[in-house]
């Protein structure tokens, strides 16, 4: 998605450069490339300017993508050691917690779905795992924020329809409330597995098992480990939208890999099979087995604003998988390397000569630009530092973030979990809108054909 003001982008690269120069054999080269891309990405952010709201990106970006972006900046610090964006990241992650300290700000009801909230909670989880600077004592702490999001979402587990699952939307008046999608439930799995690993509390693992089993029973995760977009409660989840998005494959992969890391015996073998299956099916997101692309929309040039960022999360979670399931590195690292080289050569546009495009599968810049393009290139390039950094910590291995098992478990007056009439609103959100999906499901066709 093109937005106004792009001509003002001034990256750290020399004007007129053919592309970001990347030598994966040089840590300094990777860090310099990441620095240039992160700088360009942050030219879109105005939340730290006078009169602006910390933590928000300007239109057309929704609230959730800002949380995802600050998650990428946490990764940037983790991989490079550069603290340039640490204070603005902390400010954003704390400003958006909402009155109940659970990432449910009252002014975001129009774009506050379970997946939207989860991306902020996952950023807080990363802050705890990576030992990011802890907030002041009078502010909510990273681990407690992640726990608050998990607890809130556990309370929304909906067995009244389709036998379980999280709905896409939190509020019944938001379009998409009848949709149960993989990214909402997958984020819940991802967050639960990581909370269990950090705290040692097996209750989180029990939830992961429960959600995974439900997704499998409903067909959202196929027997061969394809992860499909979602299903609709108005037809009792009897049909699926079979579109595959890269972030769905990624979010499930890290969840499964974390569970493999935390189990033994037959349980570990089960989760290992799931990791292997997901890795195999995620190859659909690599053209010719080498270059990451969003298979459902890139070929036809119809990715929406959200979808342009999805490769960032597949990159992030594939890299993180190699830390908790090291045996996956031989398969994952070459994919991150080849995709990083492809991404770098696409970062050759704009007045600065280093603006990143959407399509890494073609030579040079494709004329596209935006937060999603910058974030995707940043994550895949900096992920090539994964072997040079330590893995996630826990309470037993040096973690310092303070938790609260009851965080978020209290009632919140502005959250509506009751079914009601859905009203139209201008939100694309993650995945496809329920009204369109229902037509497709009833017609037995797919929005996009995926091999």
């Amino acid at each position: 998605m093109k937005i106004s003001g792009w001509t003002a982008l001034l990256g750290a690269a020399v004007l007129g450069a053919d592309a970001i120069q990347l030598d994966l054999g040089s840590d300094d080269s990777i860090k310099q490339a990441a620095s240039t891309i992160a700088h360009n990405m942050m030219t879109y952010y105005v939340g730290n300017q006078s009169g602006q709201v910390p933590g928000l990106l300007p239109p057309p970006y929704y609230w959730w993508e800002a949380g995802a972006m600050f998650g990428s900046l946490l990764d940037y610090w983790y991989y490079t050691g550069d603290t340039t964006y640490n204070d603005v990241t902390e400010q954003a992650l704390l400003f958006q917690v909402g009155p109940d300290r659970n990432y449910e700000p009252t002014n975001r009801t129009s774009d506050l779905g379970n997946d939207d909230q989860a991306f902020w909670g996952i950023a807080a989880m990363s802050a705890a795992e990576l030992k990011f600077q802890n907030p002041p004592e009078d502010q909510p702490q990273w681990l407690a924020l992640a726990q608050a999001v998990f607890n809130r979402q556990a309370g929304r587990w909906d067995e009244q329809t389709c036998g379980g699952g999280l709905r896409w939307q939190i509020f019944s008046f938001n379009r998409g409330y009848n949709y149960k999608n993989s990214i909402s439930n997958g984020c819940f799995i991802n967050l639960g597995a990581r909370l269990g690993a950090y705290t040692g509390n097996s209750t989180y693992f029990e939830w992961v098992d429960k959600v995974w089993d439900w997704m499998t029973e409903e067909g959202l995760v196929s027997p061969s480990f394809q992860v499909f977009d979602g299903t609709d409660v108005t037809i009792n989840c009897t049909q699926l939208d079979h579109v595959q998005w890269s972030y769905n494959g990624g979010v499930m992969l890290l969840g499964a890999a974390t569970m493999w890391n935390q189990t033994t015996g037959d349980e570990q073998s089960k989760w290992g099979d799931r990791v292997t299956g997901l890795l195999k099916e995620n190859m659909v997101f690599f053209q010719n087995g080498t270059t990451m692309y969003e298979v459902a929309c890139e070929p036809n040039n119809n990715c929406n604003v959200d979808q342009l960022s999805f490769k960032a999360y597949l990159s992030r979670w594939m890299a993180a998988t190699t830390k908790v399931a090291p045996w996956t590195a031989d398969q994952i690292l070459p994919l991150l390397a080849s995709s990083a080289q492809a991404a770098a050569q696409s970062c050759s546009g704009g007045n600065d000569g280093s603006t990143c495009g959407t399509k890494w599968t073609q030579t040079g810049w494709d004329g596209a630009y935006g937060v999603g393009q910058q974030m995707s290139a940043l994550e895949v390039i900096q992920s090539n530092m994964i072997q040079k950094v330590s893995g996630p910590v826990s309470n037993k291995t040096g973690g310092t973030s303070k938790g609260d098992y009851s965080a978020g478990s209290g009632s919140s007056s502005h959250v509506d979990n009751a079914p009601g009439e859905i009203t139209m609103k201008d939100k694309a959100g993650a995945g496809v809108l329920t009204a369109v999906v229902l037509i497709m499901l009833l017609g037995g066709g797919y929005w996009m054909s995926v091999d």
Side-chain angles (χ1 to χ4, degrees), residues 18-20 37 311 339-350 353-369 373-374 376-377 380-381:
D18 292 332
I20 284 180
I37 296 168
K311 295 195 295 269
S339 295
Q341 292 286 14
Q345 63 82 36
S346 85
C347 296
S348 56
S354 59
T355 295
C356 302
T358 298
K359 292 187 176 182
W360 305 342
T361 55
Q362 71 178 49
T363 302
W365 183 49
D366 61 2
Y369 45 85
Q373 288 89 343
Q374 295 298 134
S376 294
V380 77
I381 288 173

Side-chain angles (χ1 to χ4, degrees), residues 109-112 169 171-177 422-423 425:
T109 55
S110 65
D111 55 353
L112 177 58
Q169 296 299 319
F171 299 96
S172 62
F173 53 75
N174 278 343
R175 189 176 182 182
Y177 182 74
I422 295 174
T423 58
K425 69 183 183 70

Side-chain angles (χ1 to χ4, degrees), residues 44-56:
Y44 291 88
Y45 180 64
V46 296
N48 57 339
Q49 297 178 9
S50 178
Q52 300 295 325
V53 180
L56 297 185

Side-chain angles (χ1 to χ4, degrees), residues 378-448:
L378 175 64
E379 285 281 20
V380 77
I381 288 173
Q382 65 191 15
S383 289
N384 282 270
M385 291 289 292
I386 190 65
Q387 291 185 299
K388 304 295 180 68
V389 294
S390 58
V393 299
S394 70
N395 279 337
K396 294 182 178 180
T397 60
T400 60
S401 188
K402 295 181 180 179
D404 178 359
Y405 287 119
S406 64
S409 58
S411 63
S412 182
S413 60
H414 63 275
V415 173
D416 174 14
N417 293 319
E421 182 181 357
I422 295 174
T423 58
M424 301 291 285
K425 69 183 183 70
D426 183 21
K427 178 177 186 287
V432 289
L433 294 175
T434 300
V436 178
V437 172
L438 185 56
I439 293 172
M440 293 185 303
L441 295 179
L442 293 175
Y446 304 155
W447 175 64
M448 201 73 70

Side-chain angles (χ1 to χ4, degrees), residues 23-358:
D23 176 5
L24 293 178
S26 166
D27 292 355
D28 288 342
S29 177
I30 297 172
K31 291 178 181 181
Q32 180 57 48
S35 175
T36 300
I37 296 168
H39 174 88
N40 287 356
M41 179 176 72
M42 288 301 285
T43 63
Y44 291 88
Y45 180 64
V46 296
N48 57 339
Q49 297 178 9
S50 178
Q52 300 295 325
V53 180
L56 297 185
L57 284 165
Y61 304 104
Y62 291 107
W63 178 69
W64 80 275
E65 192 163 342
M69 184 186 76
F70 289 109
S72 290
L73 289 176
L74 286 168
D75 285 345
Y76 173 75
W77 161 77
Y78 169 57
Y79 287 121
T80 69
D82 183 359
T83 62
T84 297
Y85 306 108
N86 283 16
D87 288 344
V88 71
T89 297
E90 179 182 338
Q91 178 195 42
L93 291 176
L94 294 178
F95 196 89
Q96 291 297 321
V97 298
D100 296 326
R101 298 186 169 192
N102 56 13
Y103 288 118
E104 293 176 14
T106 53
N107 62 345
R108 305 313 309 172
T109 55
S110 65
D111 55 353
L112 177 58
N114 280 307
D115 53 346
D116 306 79
Q117 179 189 34
F119 268 88
W120 287 88
I122 285 173
M125 187 73 244
S126 292
E129 292 172 329
L130 304 181
K131 295 186 70 173
F132 185 64
Q133 59 195 43
N134 286 319
E137 288 293 326
D138 63 341
Q139 295 295 309
Q141 303 298 299
W142 305 131
L143 179 59
L145 284 167
Q147 291 172 310
V149 170
F150 186 88
N151 289 339
R152 292 295 290 163
Q153 298 200 349
R156 298 186 195 114
W157 184 256
D158 173 29
E159 294 185 354
Q160 309 255 328
T161 59
C162 307
L166 288 177
R167 294 172 181 258
W168 175 20
Q169 296 299 319
I170 294 172
F171 299 96
S172 62
F173 53 75
N174 278 343
R175 189 176 182 182
Y177 182 74
N178 286 335
Y179 199 52
K180 293 189 174 182
N181 59 355
S182 287
I183 192 57
S184 295
N185 289 279
C187 284
F188 192 51
I189 284 173
N190 185 297
L191 186 57
R194 293 161 66 181
L195 280 169
Y198 193 100
T199 65
N201 186 339
S202 62
T203 301
Y204 294 114
F205 298 143
E206 293 169 7
W207 267 107
V208 172
D209 280 322
K210 181 177 182 177
V211 182
W212 191 288
D213 289 347
W214 177 81
M215 292 182 72
T216 301
E217 290 165 4
E218 295 301 323
L220 292 173
V221 179
S222 78
S224 64
F225 299 101
Q226 297 163 298
V227 185
F228 301 127
D229 187 72
T231 187
D232 197 282
V233 304
T234 60
I235 54 172
N236 198 32
C237 300
T238 55
Q239 298 183 54
L240 302 170
D241 174 3
H242 286 82
V243 176
Q244 292 175 261
W245 299 109
S246 62
Y247 73 162
N248 282 330
V251 76
M252 299 293 284
L253 176 65
L254 180 56
T258 303
M259 291 298 292
W260 176 87
N261 181 273
Q262 294 294 306
T263 50
T264 59
D266 290 344
E267 277 294 298
Q268 186 176 62
S269 179
K270 177 184 73 176
W271 286 106
D273 289 344
R274 290 170 175 176
V275 172
T276 298
L278 286 165
L279 283 173
K280 179 181 178 182
E281 289 302 328
N282 281 352
M283 289 305 297
V284 73
F285 305 115
F286 291 86
Q287 189 177 81
N288 300 322
T290 59
T291 305
M292 192 181 299
Y293 77 131
E294 200 61 52
V295 64
C297 62
E298 273 189 37
N300 292 328
N301 302 308
N302 62 347
C303 298
N304 69 24
V305 175
D306 292 348
Q307 295 152 9
L308 291 169
S309 71
F310 287 179
K311 295 195 295 269
Y313 321 126
L314 178 59
S315 301
R316 175 192 299 177
W317 290 323
M318 286 183 72
T321 290
T322 68
K323 282 302 190 191
V324 292
W327 52 273
T328 64
D330 287 346
Q331 182 172 351
I332 288 175
L333 295 180
L335 295 171
L336 293 176
S338 56
S339 295
Q341 292 286 14
Q345 63 82 36
S346 85
C347 296
S348 56
N351 282 5
D352 57 13
S354 59
T355 295
C356 302
T358 298

